[in-house]
Amino acid sequence: MAANNSVNGGESSLRSINGRVLFVQVLVFVFLCINSLLIMTFFMKDYFYSTMRYILFAMTLLSDCLYLLVTDILLILNYFNVAIQMWVCLVIYMILSLYTYLTPVTLTAMTLERYVAICLPLRHSVLCSTRSCMHCILIIHGISYLPCIAVLSIFFTSATHGFYIQKNICSVEIFIFHKWQGHLRSAISQFYFLVMVSIIIFCYVQIMKVAKAASGENKKSTWKGLRTVILHGFQLLLCLIQLWCPFIEAALLQTNFLLFINVRYFNYITFILAPRCLSPLIYGLRDEMFFQALKHYALCGLNKNPLDF
């Protein structure tokens, strides 16, 4: 009887895990379809790819698509216990490390753009020009890649040549040979968290001051910008909490494996998938011009659109 209960419990657990994996596949597929439609809309109108906030928006969509795709592939490989060579895992880690930080750093840059547009309107055309945006994108990628460089520079000095051709289940913990490497990674994440939260709070306070002093149409526009900053702040908070997830999961792995699996699944849904579905909400639906263009192309031009396409 006990054996039967054990088997039934194992089958129930397997069905639960299968259901979770299938649920993630559905979510990822839906998000990728929505983001692809938004990216197509972005490239269909000149105004969008000549305006800084839309360029940064498109960059978050592209990075989110790649991040979701790679994390989903890694999830499937881990679920089926597929071992891969460590040099392939290293490439995956470099991609994920970059795009883990790229979205929150880009969101911070988008918040600064809203701050300049509302609080420094006379300088907006200069500070947020297309040329400045290209420089900003390079800076964002550089800042986002610094944590990866810090971790890998230590890894390269410690790893032997034979390590790269070994086969193993791919995870970030493989590249941490010493306990202090984990502490360094944690310190970098917390530093990024503090800097980005400080920028969000500063922009919110400054825009709030302008909103209170504004009147008429300016007041309406300012409050709309303030709500956008609040949504950016919430999205950024979810992304930044994601930076702490590996340390919580590592602690749970040492104590309770089943709890570790459940928490890791919750973290993936809440702090990886959820923040990356908020971008379409913030710009794809709330931005009137982008929404009209999105509706126009989604309906294959059948709707009567007030914008000149």
Side-chain angles (χ1 to χ4, degrees):
M1 180 67 72
N4 289 336
N5 289 338
S6 177
V7 170
N8 290 335
E11 290 178 351
S12 175
S13 176
L14 183 60
R15 284 196 297 269
S16 174
I17 294 175
N18 281 333
R20 289 180 177 184
V21 173
L22 289 174
F23 178 64
V24 168
Q25 302 313 304
V26 172
L27 285 181
V28 170
F29 177 76
V30 170
F31 293 158
L32 287 177
C33 288
I34 294 173
N35 285 1
S36 298
L37 180 60
L38 292 170
I39 292 168
M40 183 195 74
T41 302
F42 168 79
F43 283 108
M44 294 298 286
K45 190 166 178 63
D46 294 348
Y47 177 76
F48 293 145
Y49 52 84
S50 61
T51 305
M52 185 174 189
R53 71 175 184 271
Y54 293 116
I55 295 173
L56 293 178
F57 170 54
M59 190 172 81
T60 62
L61 291 175
L62 288 168
S63 64
D64 287 348
C65 285
L66 182 58
Y67 187 84
L68 288 176
L69 190 60
V70 175
T71 54
D72 189 45
I73 291 172
L74 196 58
L75 172 71
I76 294 171
L77 290 176
N78 287 342
Y79 174 70
F80 289 105
N81 290 321
V82 177
I84 59 176
Q85 288 190 334
M86 286 298 95
W87 69 267
V88 178
C89 184
L90 178 62
V91 173
I92 293 175
Y93 170 73
M94 292 172 69
I95 294 172
L96 291 182
S97 179
L98 171 62
Y99 288 105
T100 295
Y101 287 91
L102 189 66
T103 293
V105 173
T106 306
L107 288 172
T108 306
M110 293 171 76
T111 301
L112 286 172
E113 187 276 333
R114 287 294 82 199
Y115 161 74
V116 173
I118 294 170
C119 300
L120 304 170
L122 298 179
R123 302 186 62 187
H124 183 263
S125 59
V126 176
L127 294 176
C128 300
S129 64
T130 306
R131 181 182 177 85
S132 299
C133 185
M134 295 302 106
H135 294 156
C136 181
I137 289 173
L138 291 175
I139 293 171
I140 287 171
H141 279 79
I143 292 173
S144 302
Y145 210 64
L146 284 176
C148 179
I149 293 174
V151 173
L152 290 184
S153 60
I154 300 169
F155 163 76
F156 286 137
T157 59
S158 305
T160 60
H161 180 267
F163 177 85
Y164 298 100
I165 57 176
Q166 291 178 6
K167 284 192 173 183
N168 207 336
I169 303 299
C170 186
S171 69
V172 65
E173 288 76 19
I174 291 175
F175 303 105
I176 298 177
F177 292 146
H178 310 288
K179 192 174 182 180
W180 62 268
Q181 286 178 264
H183 295 323
L184 174 64
R185 190 161 148 256
S186 174
I188 293 172
S189 297
Q190 292 178 39
F191 174 74
Y192 272 62
F193 179 89
L194 290 174
V195 171
M196 288 186 274
V197 166
S198 299
I199 291 173
I200 290 285
I201 293 173
F202 169 79
C203 292
Y204 176 83
V205 170
Q206 295 302 314
I207 294 174
M208 177 69 79
K209 290 179 181 178
V210 174
K212 289 182 177 179
S215 60
E217 288 297 319
N218 287 336
K219 192 176 188 70
K220 182 179 178 181
S221 175
T222 302
W223 279 105
K224 184 177 180 181
L226 188 62
R227 287 194 297 271
T228 301
V229 171
I230 293 172
L231 283 172
H232 278 325
F234 178 68
Q235 188 181 11
L236 183 63
L237 179 63
L238 293 178
C239 288
L240 292 175
I241 291 175
Q242 177 198 343
L243 302 180
W244 290 351
C245 290
F247 313 112
I248 298 172
E249 293 166 6
L252 291 175
L253 183 59
Q254 304 299 322
T255 57
N256 190 318
F257 182 74
L258 183 59
L259 182 61
F260 162 76
I261 293 294
N262 291 330
V263 169
R264 183 169 237 183
Y265 178 78
F266 173 80
N267 289 342
Y268 183 74
I269 297 294
T270 308
F271 303 121
I272 294 180
L273 293 185
R276 286 160 176 80
C277 75
L278 287 177
S279 288
L281 172 65
I282 294 174
Y283 275 108
L285 301 180
R286 290 187 70 253
D287 188 279
E288 184 178 353
M289 180 175 289
F290 199 90
F291 176 71
Q292 292 294 341
L294 176 64
K295 186 166 66 171
H296 177 79
Y297 294 118
L299 298 175
C300 302
L302 296 177
N303 65 317
K304 293 182 180 179
N305 201 303
L307 296 178
D308 181 18
F309 294 102

